[in-house]
Amino acid sequence: EVQLVESGGRLVQPGGSLRLSCAATGFSLSSYAMNWVRQAPGKGLEWVSAISGTGGSTYFADSVKGRFTISRDTSKNTLYLQMTSLRVEDTAIYYCVKDGGSYPYYFDRWGLGTLVTVSS
Amino acid sequence: QSVLTQPPSVSAAPGQKVAISCSGSSSNIGNNYVSWYQQFPGTAPKLLIYDSHKRPSGIPDRFSGSKSGTSATLGITGLQTGDEADYYCETWDSSLSGFVFGTGTKVTVL
């Protein structure tokens, strides 16, 4: 059974950094693209970043480009999102999402999410 | 600001049908597949439709998807109180080189 468990969300000050993790079970990260999608309190869904199944291609929303980095450790089957220069508007639940293909395609399975709060 | 436009809300009586529209452009819906997601309050979204019209296993055939030009539609027939949720469309935008979501539609069963 596919499971995605996010961790690392917490309260952080503006300008700070944070690394989110997503432990995946039931499939191999090497076979599927993976994504991070966020949802600000009371707002809609916003795609943040994706990494291909090979790990050779990464994609970012304009709102986080240059500040966020996506990576993975296939030996641990874990996905990461390194967030720097955090802003108040980055406050959201961050979902780890398995893709339906090896390259960005559609959002097949979702984790429960981890809450990131950026506030002074 | 989302590049895909959905109506904020739709409603109908139990047993009736609703259609949720998703309007985009040639850089997104016009040249890419559309997916749809269902989200209940306080929970993660769930895939309902992919490849514009395909249902994952376990999704009842009361849910259907279609696409024409730069618009897509999610249909729900035989509406049930358990269908009350937020629904989002999503697709790849070739100009942005990223995924885009719709603004979201709240379905209410009267």
Side-chain angles (χ1 to χ4, degrees):
Chain A
E1 180 190 1
V2 171
Q3 278 200 319
L4 301 165
V5 179
E6 303 95 336
S7 61
R10 62 174 175 85
L11 173 64
V12 61
Q13 291 191 333
S17 299
L18 199 60
R19 188 180 81 160
L20 305 183
S21 301
C22 171
T25 56
F27 71 102
S28 171
L29 290 188
S30 300
S31 299
Y32 293 92
M34 292 295 294
N35 301 268
W36 289 97
V37 174
R38 69 185 181 184
Q39 187 169 34
K43 302 297 184 182
L45 301 171
E46 180 188 17
W47 170 78
V48 173
S49 181
I51 185 169
S52 65
T54 64
S57 298
T58 58
Y59 311 81
F60 298 92
D62 286 345
S63 58
V64 306
K65 202 169 291 182
R67 300 188 298 123
F68 291 11
T69 303
I70 189 171
S71 63
R72 70 201 188 152
D73 184 335
T74 53
S75 67
K76 297 180 179 179
N77 219 39
T78 298
L79 178 73
Y80 302 102
L81 184 69
Q82 179 68 48
M83 304 184 293
T84 63
S85 301
L86 282 162
R87 305 167 180 168
V88 170
E89 54 265 36
D90 294 320
T91 295
I93 296 173
Y94 284 72
Y95 294 103
C96 170
V97 190
K98 174 183 172 291
D99 206 283
S102 59
Y103 278 87
Y105 189 4
Y106 60 88
F107 305 127
D108 184 34
R109 297 293 178 90
W110 299 63
L112 298 181
T114 187
L115 177 61
V116 173
T117 303
V118 184
S119 174
S120 55
Chain B
Q1 188 169 350
S2 177
V3 299
L4 303 181
T5 302
Q6 299 178 232
S9 64
V10 298
S11 60
Q16 297 301 303
K17 62 182 179 180
V18 295
I20 301 171
S21 61
C22 176
S23 178
S25 68
S26 59
S27 67
N28 43 66
I29 292 178
N31 285 283
N32 293 287
Y33 289 119
V34 177
S35 303
W36 290 89
Y37 304 87
Q38 177 189 58
Q39 185 181 33
F40 296 106
T43 69
K46 174 184 175 182
L47 177 66
L48 278 183
I49 297 288
Y50 69 101
D51 281 2
S52 302
H53 66 93
K54 296 179 181 177
R55 287 186 309 276
S57 61
I59 301 300
D61 59 6
R62 299 188 299 105
F63 295 90
S64 64
S66 64
K67 190 187 92 163
S68 179
T70 58
S71 293
T73 302
L74 173 71
I76 310 175
T77 59
L79 204 59
Q80 302 174 1
T81 55
D83 296 332
E84 286 199 330
D86 294 321
Y87 293 82
Y88 294 90
C89 59
E90 167 269 310
T91 188
W92 182 262
D93 191 295
S94 304
S95 296
L96 299 174
S97 293
F99 288 108
V100 289
F101 280 99
T103 47
T105 298
K106 182 176 183 60
V107 169
T108 300
V109 181
L110 301 173

